[in-house]
């Protein structure tokens, strides 16, 4: 009797294919179908004997000429996804069928094809209808309204209020709220075990810490808000931990509210299950809609909290190197999409420019006045009939009597 299994390669490939999400398979199939239609219309016959240079030429043509069924251009972000998906599938097919290896994402033969893809995207970015729209930042007043609308004395209100404050102050990405766990938060204490009033936040398995359980080099902190205790994240976090109860086993931070929380025999504020990803993902958008923002015209997502944090800090003069410490980015180029110029920010910059211009003019005027006074003094001295005494390196002792 054999110790090992006898599953053949065909079955293994089928099982690998089965674990792929349906949406992924459908998406890849749809992209490849369009590429085949493109090749048929252009009379491109892809076969084993076709050179890599010829394949690169086809991908170059496809980058600029892919269209929707209604003959319109795709959005610039879609062009990138579709071209990359097509190139990847072409690479896989040639290896599986013909054992021919090439890499359209790095090989020199595909430099022009990749450049055509990027050039097409640049062209589409000039069109506001085709440009990728980043999550919009909120104004300070809008953000404050969202915080104030939640009643922290209810299960849902407490979570939502804490979420909106923390997602802004920690500059969370869109999905960090759903994946946040209680072990990411650690109360700081002194050498005697007394709380210091700060809570360290370190998302061990977040996007910015790829590579296992390696700790972030720079933690973030929840800081007590003495000016406005109602918006204090430290107080709200402690209250949220208190309301979790002893029956909660999951380590997820945000939990499903117990609809019977205020009944006499209630087992607590929350159920032992995390809030669904789709629900958390809609929190910022639904709150913005509730305060009167037209979310059909303005793109509002949970990422808006991050955009709001970066934009507001930039308005206050915080530099890019400090901003990336908050966002967790590796370089300042990555925060460019978050730096959104609104009317308030533009007004501040114009006023700063005017202030600099005014200060410079005043300085020049003062310098000119001083120069004129000096010249007049020199002229008066020169024209005076009295002899001019010149003293160099002298010490004067002056004795003067004062009468009181």
């Amino acid at each position: 009797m054999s110790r090992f299994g006898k599953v053949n390669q065909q079955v293994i490939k089928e099982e690998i294919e089965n674990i792929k999400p349906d949406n992924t398979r459908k998406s890849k199939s749809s992209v490849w179908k369009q590429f085949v239609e493109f090749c048929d219309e252009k009379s491109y016959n892809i076969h084993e004997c076709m050179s890599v240079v010829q394949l690169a030429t086809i991908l170059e043509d496809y980058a600029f000429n892919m269209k929707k069924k209604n003959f319109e251009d795709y959005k610039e972000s879609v062009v990138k996804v579709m071209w990359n998906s097509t190139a990847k599938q072409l690479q896989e097919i040639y290896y599986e069928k013909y054992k021919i290896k090439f890499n359209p994402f790095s090989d020199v033969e595909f430099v022009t094809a990749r450049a055509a893809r990027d050039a097409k995207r640049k062209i589409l970015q000039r069109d506001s209808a085709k440009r990728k729209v980043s999550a919009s930042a909120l104004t300070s007043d809008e953000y404050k309204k969202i915080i104030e609308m939640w009643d922290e004395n209810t299960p849902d209100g407490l979570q939502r209020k804490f979420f909106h404050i923390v997602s802004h102050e920690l500059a969370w990405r869109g999905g960090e709220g759903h994946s946040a766990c209680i072990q990411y938060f650690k109360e700081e204490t002194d050498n005697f075990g007394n709380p210091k009033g700060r809570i360290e936040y370190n998302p061990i398995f977040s996007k910015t810490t790829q590579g296992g359980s390696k700790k972030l080099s720079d933690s973030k902190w929840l800081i007590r808000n003495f000016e406005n205790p109602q918006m204090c994240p430290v107080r709200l976090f402690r209250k949220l931990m208190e309301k979790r109860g002893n029956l909660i086993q999951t380590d997820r931070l945000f939990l499903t509210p117990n609809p019977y929380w205020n009944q006499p025999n209630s087992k607590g504020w929350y159920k032992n299950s995390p809030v669904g990803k789709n629900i958390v993902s809609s929190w910022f958008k639904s709150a913005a809609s509730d305060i009167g923002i037209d979310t059909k015209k303005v793109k509002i997502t949970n990422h808006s909290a991050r955009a709001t944090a970066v934009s507001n800090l930039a308005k206050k003069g915080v530099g890019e190197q400090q901003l990336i410490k908050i966002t967790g980015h590796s370089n300042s180029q990555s925060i460019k999409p978050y730096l959104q110029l609104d009317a308030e920010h533009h007004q501040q910059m114009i006023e700063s420019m005017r202030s600099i211009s005014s200060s410079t003019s005043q300085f020049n005027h003062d310098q000119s006045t001083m120069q004129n006074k000096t010249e007049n003094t020199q002229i008066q001295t020169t024209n005076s009939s009295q002899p001019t005494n010149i003293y160099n390196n002298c010490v004067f002792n002056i004795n003067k009597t004062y009468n009181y």
Side-chain angles (χ1 to χ4, degrees), residues 360-401:
T360 303
S361 299
Q362 183 64 39
F363 175 78
N364 292 337
H365 174 72
D366 293 343
Q367 289 289 95
S368 177
T369 303
M370 291 177 62
Q371 184 177 356
N372 290 336
K373 288 182 177 179
T374 303
E375 292 175 353
N376 292 335
T377 301
Q378 291 175 348
I379 293 173
Q380 291 174 4
T381 303
T382 303
N383 295 335
S384 176
S385 59
Q386 298 295 327
T388 301
N389 297 324
I390 300 175
Y391 304 95
N392 292 322
N393 299 323
C394 297
V395 177
F396 296 90
N397 293 320
I398 300 175
N399 295 321
K400 190 169 183 177
T401 303

Side-chain angles (χ1 to χ4, degrees), residues 176-195:
E176 281 192 77
H178 170 259
S179 61
C181 298
I182 57 175
Q183 65 263 28
Y184 293 176
F185 299 83
K186 180 181 178 182
E187 183 103 36
E188 277 194 342
T189 58
D190 58 22
N191 294 333
F192 300 99
N194 300 315

Side-chain angles (χ1 to χ4, degrees), residues 289-347:
S289 179
D290 289 341
I291 65 169
I293 297 176
D294 189 348
T295 55
K296 292 182 179 179
K297 295 182 179 180
V298 181
K299 184 178 180 180
I300 301 293
T301 68
N302 284 359
H303 225 71
S304 295
R306 189 172 173 86
T308 301
V310 173
S311 296
N312 288 344
L313 288 172
K315 291 176 187 177
K316 297 297 183 181
V318 177
E320 291 182 351
Q321 292 304 315
Q322 292 173 295
L323 289 175
I324 63 176
K325 294 292 184 181
I326 296 293
T327 62
H329 287 109
S330 58
N331 59 74
S332 59
Q333 292 297 320
S334 302
I335 64 172
K336 298 296 184 183
Y338 301 107
L339 297 174
Q340 300 177 18
L341 178 67
D342 58 17
E344 179 185 355
H345 195 184
H346 185 259
Q347 180 178 344

Side-chain angles (χ1 to χ4, degrees), residues 215-280:
K215 186 178 179 181
L216 277 171
S217 58
D218 294 309
S219 294
K220 304 176 188 179
W221 285 267
L222 301 182
I223 310 297
R224 284 187 293 184
N225 189 335
F226 292 103
E227 294 183 1
N228 190 349
Q230 294 301 313
M231 295 180 65
C232 177
V234 175
R235 181 186 65 81
L236 291 170
F237 177 78
R238 291 170 178 168
K239 185 173 182 178
L240 191 60
M241 292 301 99
E242 177 188 341
K243 295 298 184 180
R244 286 176 71 89
N246 299 324
L247 300 177
I248 304 299
Q249 300 297 318
T250 178
D251 60 353
R252 288 291 181 85
L253 178 62
F254 297 112
L255 305 174
T256 303
N258 178 7
Y260 309 106
W261 65 276
N262 56 354
Q263 300 299 317
N265 298 325
S266 173
K267 295 182 179 180
W269 275 33
Y270 302 103
K271 295 181 179 180
N272 186 32
S273 61
V275 179
K277 182 178 181 179
N278 291 337
I279 295 177
V280 177

Side-chain angles (χ1 to χ4, degrees), residues 19-33:
I19 65 172
K20 293 181 180 178
D22 290 338
N23 289 341
T24 301
R25 287 201 298 270
K26 291 178 181 178
S27 177
K28 289 181 65 176
S29 176
S30 176
V31 169
W32 185 253
K33 181 180 178 182

Side-chain angles (χ1 to χ4, degrees), residues 27 31 62 66 74-89 105 117 121 132:
S27 177
V31 169
Y62 186 58
M66 65 174 74
Y74 288 101
K75 291 188 176 182
E76 63 92 6
S77 57
V78 177
V79 169
K80 176 184 177 182
V81 171
M82 291 189 63
W83 190 95
N84 289 353
S85 178
T86 301
K88 184 66 176 176
Q89 291 185 73
F105 303 100
R117 173 202 61 190
R121 293 182 61 206
K132 181 180 179 181

Side-chain angles (χ1 to χ4, degrees), residues 32-303:
W32 185 253
K33 181 180 178 182
Q34 175 170 309
F35 179 67
V36 171
E37 292 176 0
F38 170 80
C39 291
D40 290 342
E41 184 176 313
K42 295 277 187 172
S43 299
Y44 291 133
N45 184 20
I46 298 177
H47 51 80
E48 181 181 1
C49 298
M50 182 172 282
S51 68
V52 173
V53 175
Q54 289 175 308
L55 291 175
T57 302
I58 295 174
L59 287 177
E60 178 184 338
D61 189 359
Y62 186 58
F64 251 78
N65 294 304
M66 65 174 74
K67 298 282 185 179
K68 295 181 180 181
K69 290 184 177 180
N70 61 1
F71 309 108
E72 291 184 0
D73 281 318
Y74 288 101
K75 291 188 176 182
E76 63 92 6
S77 57
V78 177
V79 169
K80 176 184 177 182
V81 171
M82 291 189 63
W83 190 95
N84 289 353
S85 178
T86 301
K88 184 66 176 176
Q89 291 185 73
L90 193 62
Q91 178 188 21
E92 293 172 350
I93 289 171
Y94 259 71
Y95 180 74
E96 291 176 2
K97 285 187 175 183
Y98 314 125
K99 301 304 177 186
I100 297 175
K101 290 184 179 181
F102 61 84
N103 190 339
F105 303 100
S106 60
D107 289 351
V108 66
E109 291 86 353
F110 293 88
V111 168
T112 306
R114 294 192 296 269
R117 173 202 61 190
D118 297 338
K120 180 64 174 181
R121 293 182 61 206
K122 287 289 185 181
I123 293 172
L124 293 173
Q125 285 173 358
R126 300 169 192 163
D127 184 352
S128 60
K130 303 298 181 183
R131 187 186 309 137
K132 181 180 179 181
V133 180
S134 300
S136 298
L138 303 183
T139 66
S140 299
D141 290 339
E142 290 170 341
Y143 171 69
K144 186 178 180 181
K145 287 180 180 178
I146 286 179
I147 303 300
E148 293 176 343
M149 68 183 286
W150 298 108
D151 180 6
E152 65 180 74
N153 294 313
T154 64
D156 188 49
L158 176 59
Q159 289 194 138
R160 297 288 293 272
K161 185 175 184 178
F162 179 73
F163 167 80
H164 288 298
I165 292 174
V166 173
S167 62
H168 175 258
E169 295 193 359
L170 298 182
W172 270 356
R173 288 183 171 85
E176 281 192 77
H178 170 259
S179 61
C181 298
I182 57 175
Q183 65 263 28
Y184 293 176
F185 299 83
K186 180 181 178 182
E187 183 103 36
E188 277 194 342
T189 58
D190 58 22
N191 294 333
F192 300 99
N194 300 315
K196 296 173 66 175
R198 299 199 314 176
I199 296 176
E200 182 183 8
Y201 171 75
N202 205 308
I204 302 172
F205 297 109
S206 76
K207 180 179 177 182
T208 54
T209 54
Q210 297 174 0
S213 59
K214 179 179 65 176
K215 186 178 179 181
L216 277 171
S217 58
D218 294 309
S219 294
K220 304 176 188 179
W221 285 267
L222 301 182
I223 310 297
R224 284 187 293 184
N225 189 335
F226 292 103
E227 294 183 1
N228 190 349
Q230 294 301 313
M231 295 180 65
C232 177
V234 175
R235 181 186 65 81
L236 291 170
F237 177 78
R238 291 170 178 168
K239 185 173 182 178
L240 191 60
M241 292 301 99
E242 177 188 341
K243 295 298 184 180
R244 286 176 71 89
N246 299 324
L247 300 177
I248 304 299
Q249 300 297 318
T250 178
D251 60 353
R252 288 291 181 85
L253 178 62
F254 297 112
L255 305 174
T256 303
N258 178 7
Y260 309 106
W261 65 276
N262 56 354
Q263 300 299 317
N265 298 325
S266 173
K267 295 182 179 180
W269 275 33
Y270 302 103
K271 295 181 179 180
N272 186 32
S273 61
V275 179
K277 182 178 181 179
N278 291 337
I279 295 177
V280 177
S281 299
S282 67
W283 276 358
F284 218 95
K285 182 177 180 179
S286 62
S289 179
D290 289 341
I291 65 169
I293 297 176
D294 189 348
T295 55
K296 292 182 179 179
K297 295 182 179 180
V298 181
K299 184 178 180 180
I300 301 293
T301 68
N302 284 359
H303 225 71

